[in-house]
Short mmCIF file of all heavy atoms in Angstrom, two decimals:
data_model
loop_
_atom_site.label_atom_id
_atom_site.label_comp_id
_atom_site.label_asym_id
_atom_site.label_seq_id
_atom_site.Cartn_x
_atom_site.Cartn_y
_atom_site.Cartn_z
N ALA A 277 20.22 -16.98 5.79
CA ALA A 277 20.20 -17.39 4.42
C ALA A 277 20.58 -16.18 3.54
O ALA A 277 20.26 -14.98 3.81
CB ALA A 277 18.87 -17.86 3.97
N ILE A 278 21.21 -16.47 2.40
CA ILE A 278 21.50 -15.57 1.25
C ILE A 278 21.04 -16.19 -0.08
O ILE A 278 21.47 -17.27 -0.37
CB ILE A 278 23.08 -15.28 1.15
CG1 ILE A 278 23.43 -14.60 2.45
CG2 ILE A 278 23.25 -14.31 -0.08
CD1 ILE A 278 24.96 -14.26 2.47
N LEU A 279 20.08 -15.50 -0.61
CA LEU A 279 19.48 -16.11 -1.78
C LEU A 279 19.74 -15.28 -3.09
O LEU A 279 19.82 -14.08 -2.99
CB LEU A 279 17.88 -16.12 -1.63
CG LEU A 279 17.36 -17.00 -0.40
CD1 LEU A 279 15.82 -16.84 -0.38
CD2 LEU A 279 17.89 -18.31 -0.38
N ASP A 280 20.06 -15.89 -4.08
CA ASP A 280 20.48 -15.34 -5.40
C ASP A 280 20.22 -16.27 -6.52
O ASP A 280 20.55 -17.54 -6.35
CB ASP A 280 21.92 -14.88 -5.31
CG ASP A 280 22.30 -13.96 -6.38
OD1 ASP A 280 22.33 -14.35 -7.58
OD2 ASP A 280 22.44 -12.68 -6.23
N ASP A 281 19.75 -15.79 -7.59
CA ASP A 281 19.52 -16.79 -8.66
C ASP A 281 20.70 -17.33 -9.41
O ASP A 281 20.54 -18.11 -10.32
CB ASP A 281 18.69 -16.16 -9.70
CG ASP A 281 17.18 -16.03 -9.19
OD1 ASP A 281 16.82 -16.84 -8.35
OD2 ASP A 281 16.31 -15.26 -9.87
N LYS A 282 21.97 -17.04 -8.95
CA LYS A 282 23.12 -17.64 -9.41
C LYS A 282 23.32 -19.02 -8.79
O LYS A 282 23.91 -19.81 -9.35
CB LYS A 282 24.39 -16.85 -9.16
CG LYS A 282 24.79 -16.73 -7.61
CD LYS A 282 25.97 -15.87 -7.50
CE LYS A 282 26.46 -15.65 -6.10
NZ LYS A 282 27.61 -14.86 -5.86
N TYR A 283 22.56 -19.25 -7.85
CA TYR A 283 22.49 -20.58 -7.18
C TYR A 283 21.37 -21.43 -7.84
O TYR A 283 20.24 -21.02 -7.89
CB TYR A 283 22.31 -20.56 -5.77
CG TYR A 283 23.47 -19.85 -4.91
CD1 TYR A 283 23.30 -18.63 -4.43
CD2 TYR A 283 24.80 -20.33 -5.06
CE1 TYR A 283 24.31 -17.91 -3.76
CE2 TYR A 283 25.83 -19.73 -4.48
CZ TYR A 283 25.47 -18.48 -3.77
OH TYR A 283 26.61 -17.86 -3.17
N GLN A 284 21.59 -22.64 -8.11
CA GLN A 284 20.57 -23.54 -8.68
C GLN A 284 19.84 -24.36 -7.71
O GLN A 284 18.72 -24.75 -7.85
CB GLN A 284 21.22 -24.49 -9.76
CG GLN A 284 21.88 -23.76 -10.84
CD GLN A 284 20.94 -22.91 -11.70
OE1 GLN A 284 19.79 -23.47 -12.05
NE2 GLN A 284 21.31 -21.69 -12.09
N GLU A 285 20.64 -24.67 -6.63
CA GLU A 285 20.14 -25.59 -5.61
C GLU A 285 20.33 -24.94 -4.20
O GLU A 285 21.23 -24.08 -3.98
CB GLU A 285 20.66 -27.01 -5.67
CG GLU A 285 20.45 -27.67 -7.00
CD GLU A 285 20.98 -29.05 -6.86
OE1 GLU A 285 21.81 -29.39 -6.00
OE2 GLU A 285 20.72 -29.78 -7.92
N VAL A 286 19.59 -25.37 -3.27
CA VAL A 286 19.69 -24.94 -1.88
C VAL A 286 20.87 -25.79 -1.27
O VAL A 286 20.95 -26.95 -1.37
CB VAL A 286 18.43 -25.05 -1.02
CG1 VAL A 286 18.69 -24.73 0.49
CG2 VAL A 286 17.35 -24.15 -1.63
N HIS A 287 21.86 -25.02 -0.52
CA HIS A 287 22.89 -25.78 0.20
C HIS A 287 23.26 -24.94 1.29
O HIS A 287 23.00 -23.73 1.48
CB HIS A 287 24.00 -26.07 -0.78
CG HIS A 287 24.80 -24.88 -1.31
ND1 HIS A 287 24.15 -24.00 -2.34
CD2 HIS A 287 25.76 -24.18 -0.92
CE1 HIS A 287 25.01 -22.95 -2.60
NE2 HIS A 287 25.96 -23.03 -1.73
N GLU A 288 24.12 -25.43 2.32
CA GLU A 288 24.48 -24.68 3.44
C GLU A 288 26.09 -24.71 3.49
O GLU A 288 26.71 -25.62 3.06
CB GLU A 288 24.01 -25.51 4.66
CG GLU A 288 24.30 -24.71 6.00
CD GLU A 288 23.66 -25.44 7.20
OE1 GLU A 288 22.67 -25.95 7.08
OE2 GLU A 288 24.28 -25.15 8.32
N ARG A 289 26.47 -23.45 3.94
CA ARG A 289 28.00 -23.23 3.97
C ARG A 289 28.21 -22.38 5.10
O ARG A 289 27.61 -21.29 5.27
CB ARG A 289 28.47 -22.63 2.71
CG ARG A 289 30.09 -22.52 2.62
CD ARG A 289 30.48 -22.14 1.25
NE ARG A 289 30.11 -20.74 0.90
CZ ARG A 289 29.39 -20.46 -0.04
NH1 ARG A 289 28.70 -21.29 -0.85
NH2 ARG A 289 29.11 -19.10 -0.29
N ASN A 290 29.08 -22.81 6.08
CA ASN A 290 29.47 -22.01 7.22
C ASN A 290 28.23 -21.54 7.99
O ASN A 290 28.21 -20.38 8.54
CB ASN A 290 30.32 -20.76 6.79
CG ASN A 290 31.61 -21.27 6.13
OD1 ASN A 290 32.17 -22.29 6.55
ND2 ASN A 290 32.06 -20.55 5.27
N GLY A 291 27.20 -22.36 8.19
CA GLY A 291 26.04 -21.97 8.91
C GLY A 291 24.92 -21.20 8.23
O GLY A 291 24.00 -20.86 8.95
N ILE A 292 25.25 -20.86 6.94
CA ILE A 292 24.28 -19.99 6.18
C ILE A 292 23.79 -20.75 5.00
O ILE A 292 24.58 -21.51 4.39
CB ILE A 292 24.99 -18.65 5.74
CG1 ILE A 292 25.34 -17.87 7.04
CG2 ILE A 292 24.02 -17.88 4.90
CD1 ILE A 292 26.15 -16.53 6.62
N VAL A 293 22.42 -20.73 4.87
CA VAL A 293 21.89 -21.43 3.80
C VAL A 293 22.00 -20.45 2.52
O VAL A 293 21.66 -19.27 2.51
CB VAL A 293 20.45 -21.70 3.99
CG1 VAL A 293 19.66 -22.31 2.79
CG2 VAL A 293 20.30 -22.69 5.19
N TYR A 294 22.31 -21.15 1.38
CA TYR A 294 22.42 -20.47 0.08
C TYR A 294 21.45 -21.13 -0.86
O TYR A 294 21.34 -22.33 -0.84
CB TYR A 294 23.75 -20.45 -0.50
CG TYR A 294 24.82 -19.71 0.28
CD1 TYR A 294 25.49 -20.33 1.36
CD2 TYR A 294 25.16 -18.47 -0.12
CE1 TYR A 294 26.29 -19.58 2.18
CE2 TYR A 294 26.13 -17.72 0.83
CZ TYR A 294 26.61 -18.28 1.78
OH TYR A 294 27.59 -17.65 2.56
N GLY A 295 20.79 -20.32 -1.73
CA GLY A 295 19.92 -20.87 -2.72
C GLY A 295 19.30 -19.89 -3.72
O GLY A 295 19.56 -18.72 -3.55
N PRO A 296 18.46 -20.37 -4.62
CA PRO A 296 17.78 -19.41 -5.60
C PRO A 296 16.77 -18.50 -4.79
O PRO A 296 16.27 -18.98 -3.76
CB PRO A 296 17.19 -20.21 -6.57
CG PRO A 296 16.98 -21.57 -5.85
CD PRO A 296 18.10 -21.75 -4.91
N ILE A 297 16.42 -17.47 -5.40
CA ILE A 297 15.31 -16.52 -4.78
C ILE A 297 14.01 -17.33 -4.65
O ILE A 297 13.25 -17.09 -3.66
CB ILE A 297 15.15 -15.24 -5.58
CG1 ILE A 297 16.49 -14.55 -5.53
CG2 ILE A 297 13.97 -14.42 -5.06
CD1 ILE A 297 16.55 -13.28 -6.52
N SER A 298 13.74 -18.23 -5.50
CA SER A 298 12.41 -19.01 -5.37
C SER A 298 12.34 -19.80 -4.05
O SER A 298 11.22 -20.08 -3.64
CB SER A 298 12.33 -19.99 -6.58
OG SER A 298 13.46 -20.88 -6.68
N ALA A 299 13.44 -19.93 -3.42
CA ALA A 299 13.35 -20.73 -2.17
C ALA A 299 12.86 -19.95 -1.02
O ALA A 299 12.62 -20.43 0.24
CB ALA A 299 14.80 -21.31 -1.79
N VAL A 300 12.71 -18.60 -1.16
CA VAL A 300 12.18 -17.81 -0.02
C VAL A 300 10.93 -18.21 0.61
O VAL A 300 10.74 -18.10 1.75
CB VAL A 300 12.20 -16.26 -0.47
CG1 VAL A 300 11.08 -15.98 -1.45
CG2 VAL A 300 12.09 -15.36 0.74
N SER A 301 9.88 -18.65 -0.16
CA SER A 301 8.68 -18.94 0.36
C SER A 301 8.68 -20.09 1.29
O SER A 301 8.15 -20.21 2.34
CB SER A 301 7.62 -19.35 -0.74
OG SER A 301 7.42 -18.17 -1.64
N ASP A 302 9.56 -21.12 0.89
CA ASP A 302 9.62 -22.27 1.76
C ASP A 302 10.44 -21.90 3.09
O ASP A 302 10.11 -22.39 4.09
CB ASP A 302 10.46 -23.39 1.04
CG ASP A 302 10.65 -24.65 1.83
OD1 ASP A 302 9.61 -25.10 2.24
OD2 ASP A 302 11.80 -25.11 2.06
N MET A 303 11.41 -21.10 2.97
CA MET A 303 12.28 -20.61 4.07
C MET A 303 11.38 -19.87 5.20
O MET A 303 11.52 -20.05 6.31
CB MET A 303 13.50 -19.92 3.65
CG MET A 303 14.49 -20.63 2.98
SD MET A 303 15.93 -19.75 2.63
CE MET A 303 16.99 -21.02 1.77
#
Side-chain angles (χ1 to χ4, degrees):
I278 298 174
L279 305 181
D280 193 289
D281 284 342
K282 69 182 180 182
Y283 298 113
Q284 301 298 313
E285 298 179 352
V286 175
H287 62 283
E288 185 173 331
R289 185 169 72 244
N290 298 324
I292 296 177
V293 176
Y294 295 83
I297 295 173
S298 59
V300 68
S301 295
D302 182 57
M303 289 186 180

